[in-house]
Amino acid sequence: MISMEDVSLADLERYLTSKGWLKVDALGTSFEIWVFPGLSMYEITLPVNEGHKRFRTLVDDALSQLCSKESLGYEELIRKIISPTFDRMLVRVVAGDVSKGRIPFNEGIDLYSSTFDLLKDSARCLHKFKDKQKHILAFKSEVMMGQTQVGSYIISLDSPLYEIGDSEVSGMFDQGKSLGRLINEKTFDKVRFISEFLDDCELNADESKFDEFELHELTSKGITNTVCDSLLKLFGVKSHRDLELTFEWSPKEDIDESYKKSVFLSSKSSTKIRTLGELLKNRRKEASVTLVGNIEDLHRRYKDEDGRAKLKTKYKNREVGITFDVAKEIYDEIVGAHSKKYAVQITGEVHSFLSSKKMIAKFNSIEDIQIKKNGDLDYVT
C-alpha cells in the first residue's frame, strides 16, 4: 500500500511543474510558495529540503489541495506523483543467435540506434509549433538506455514524458498530453499499422501487389521510408530475427487499452518492408495537374456512398491508371462517361510512387472534373 512517505520533495516539485503550477516566492531560506495561475484559492507551501521538521505536514497539506483541485483520491494522486516520468519502449528480437541474451556489439548498437530513429521520426512528423526544434532536441536528450533479459535480446529506451512549459503550445496537443507521450503513441501507432497492413494485404516482393489507396493510407499515418529502414535494421544483418514491440506506459498520463498490447513483426516481413520502403522513398506529389483520359475500374459498395475509379491516361511519360474518389453526387455522370467511353479531364493534386517497374498514382484532391461530350468539355464539379 502506498502512502505519503513514498512521496519525495523532488517527486512533488516535478509533478507541480508538469501540471502548470508556478514557484513564485520564498519565505526566508526555509520555504517556497507554489500557486496555480488563475486559481487564487490554491497555494502550496513546501520546505526547501526534506530535513525540515514540518516536511511531512506540508506535504500532506499539498496532497490535500491537489486531491481537491484534480478530483482524485489520495492513493491515486500519490501513484501519479511517484510514477516514472517516462514510457519504456521495449523491442525484443527473437532468433537462435540471441537466445542467451547476447548479441554482437555492432548489431546491438544498431538495435538501439534504429529504435531511437523510430522515436525521432515520430517527433519530426509532428505539426509545427512554437520552438518545435528546441523541444524536440530536449526530448531526445532525455531518452535513456535500459537493459536486456536472458532468453532473447531485449533493448529498452526510457522515453521521457517531456513537458512543454508554454501552456498555449501544450494546449495544441490531444487532451493535454505531454509532447513525450504524443511521440511515444505515434511511434507505437506506426509500427502497429505496418504490422496490420502486412497482415491484411496480399503482397510480396513485387510492388505490383500494392494498392494505391493502401500506400496513401500509409503516408497519411506518417509512415516514411526512414521508418521502414529503421525496422529493417532491427531484423538484423541477415533479416532473420522476429520483432516484438511493447511499451510500458507511465501511469502519470492516461492511455487507451489498445496501446497496452504488443506488436509483432515476423522476419518474413522484412522483404515486404524493404519493397515498401523503396516505394515510399520515391513518393512524389504535384499540385494542379490536368490530365485527360478514359474511365476504367469504376465501382462502389453501396448506392448512397462515394465510389472509386481510375483515369487511364499518360503521366510523366508513362501509361498509368490514376485512382480517384468519385463523389456520390456525380457518380451517375461518371458512369455515363465510362459506358460511352467519353474522355474525362481531371485537375487536382497527384501523389505518385515511382519504381523502375511501374508507377502507382492517385488524385489526392480534385479541383474539377469535366467530361468531353461530342468534342466539348462539360463542367461536372
Side-chain angles (χ1 to χ4, degrees):
M1 180 177 176
I2 59 176
S3 66
M4 180 179 66
E5 280 67 30
D6 296 312
V7 179
S8 70
L9 182 61
D11 286 336
L12 188 51
E13 290 181 333
R14 195 159 40 236
Y15 185 78
L16 290 171
T17 301
S18 72
K19 294 298 181 181
W21 288 72
L22 301 176
K23 183 165 60 175
V24 295
D25 205 354
L27 297 177
T29 59
S30 300
F31 302 97
E32 56 192 28
I33 307 298
W34 293 75
V35 298
F36 193 87
L39 296 177
S40 58
M41 73 285 292
Y42 295 110
E43 182 178 292
I44 289 176
T45 301
L46 292 176
V48 296
N49 63 68
E50 295 185 6
H52 195 281
K53 63 182 181 180
R54 295 189 61 205
F55 172 66
R56 287 301 168 195
T57 301
L58 292 172
V59 168
D60 186 53
D61 176 71
L63 295 177
S64 297
Q65 291 196 57
L66 288 170
C67 284
S68 173
K69 179 182 176 300
E70 300 184 20
S71 300
L72 294 173
Y74 200 74
E75 286 193 18
E76 184 181 4
L77 173 64
I78 293 176
R79 190 172 291 108
K80 283 181 174 288
I81 292 174
I82 66 176
S83 293
T85 56
F86 56 83
D87 295 325
R88 176 156 288 167
M89 182 180 182
L90 300 170
V91 177
R92 180 195 299 271
V93 293
V94 182
D97 62 339
V98 294
S99 61
K100 295 182 180 180
R102 301 172 69 243
I103 195 170
F105 182 82
N106 289 338
E107 293 188 50
I109 296 298
D110 277 346
L111 284 180
Y112 276 104
S113 61
S114 299
T115 303
F116 191 24
D117 285 343
L118 291 173
L119 287 173
K120 290 193 290 185
D121 185 81
S122 295
R124 181 183 59 79
C125 291
L126 292 175
H127 57 72
K128 292 182 180 179
F129 56 87
K130 182 181 177 182
D131 295 328
K132 175 182 176 180
Q133 189 63 21
K134 180 186 79 172
H135 290 300
I136 295 302
L137 288 173
F139 164 82
K140 290 191 291 188
S141 71
E142 294 181 19
V143 175
M144 305 291 286
M145 285 186 179
Q147 64 186 81
T148 187
Q149 298 175 11
V150 175
S152 55
Y153 196 86
I154 301 178
I155 64 164
S156 64
L157 292 182
D158 294 345
S159 183
L161 298 180
Y162 179 84
E163 295 276 357
I164 295 179
D166 190 328
S167 59
E168 181 179 346
V169 176
S170 298
M172 297 169 62
F173 301 138
D174 296 340
Q175 301 171 352
K177 294 177 183 175
S178 64
L179 175 63
R181 174 55 63 86
L182 196 66
I183 292 171
N184 299 336
E185 285 185 352
K186 185 176 285 291
T187 301
F188 184 89
D189 282 335
K190 289 182 179 182
V191 180
R192 175 172 58 182
F193 191 81
I194 289 176
S195 175
E196 293 173 350
F197 172 78
L198 296 179
D199 287 342
D200 292 342
C201 66
E202 297 179 0
L203 54 104
N204 51 33
D206 180 3
E207 64 263 24
S208 65
K209 299 292 184 180
F210 285 90
D211 176 84
E212 297 89 343
F213 281 83
E214 290 172 336
L215 285 172
H216 286 281
E217 190 174 7
L218 283 169
T219 58
S220 72
K221 299 290 185 180
I223 295 169
T224 62
N225 64 294
T226 56
V227 174
C228 295
D229 290 344
S230 296
L231 289 175
L232 287 173
K233 291 178 182 178
L234 294 176
F235 284 115
V237 176
K238 299 178 181 178
S239 298
H240 63 295
R241 298 179 185 132
D242 300 328
L243 304 180
E244 175 188 300
L245 171 70
T246 308
F247 268 91
E248 294 178 354
W249 303 100
S250 169
K252 280 190 177 294
E253 296 184 26
D254 295 334
I255 189 73
D256 188 84
E257 287 294 320
S258 63
Y259 287 91
K260 296 180 181 180
K261 300 177 181 179
S262 297
V263 178
F264 300 92
L265 284 171
S266 166
S267 57
K268 296 177 181 178
S269 303
S270 60
T271 302
K272 304 172 187 178
I273 292 175
R274 182 174 287 105
T275 301
L276 180 61
E278 290 171 357
L279 283 170
L280 293 174
K281 184 177 181 179
N282 292 302
R283 175 179 178 248
R284 301 288 185 271
K285 62 180 179 179
E286 185 178 1
S288 298
V289 177
T290 298
L291 298 170
V292 178
N294 293 107
I295 300 296
E296 63 177 10
D297 194 23
L298 174 66
H299 63 277
R300 64 178 175 183
R301 290 191 303 172
Y302 302 105
K303 188 174 181 179
D304 60 344
E305 287 189 351
D306 293 346
R308 186 178 294 179
K310 284 185 179 180
L311 181 72
K312 189 175 182 180
T313 185
K314 194 168 186 178
Y315 179 59
K316 301 292 184 183
N317 297 318
R318 289 175 180 249
E319 295 292 335
V320 63
I322 301 186
T323 310
F324 66 98
D325 293 319
V326 182
K328 58 185 178 182
E329 293 81 7
I330 65 168
Y331 190 82
D332 290 342
E333 291 275 1
I334 300 300
V335 168
H338 178 47
S339 62
K340 296 178 181 179
K341 300 189 182 326
Y342 288 150
V344 175
Q345 177 178 293
I346 301 178
T347 300
E349 183 180 76
V350 174
H351 288 197
S352 62
F353 302 85
L354 182 63
S355 74
S356 59
K357 296 181 180 179
K358 65 176 297 186
M359 174 185 286
I360 300 172
K362 174 182 181 289
F363 276 104
N364 192 57
S365 61
I366 293 177
E367 298 169 21
D368 67 63
I369 298 177
Q370 298 183 52
I371 298 174
K372 191 172 185 179
K373 300 178 181 178
N374 302 319
D376 299 318
L377 283 171
D378 294 335
Y379 180 78
V380 176
T381 183

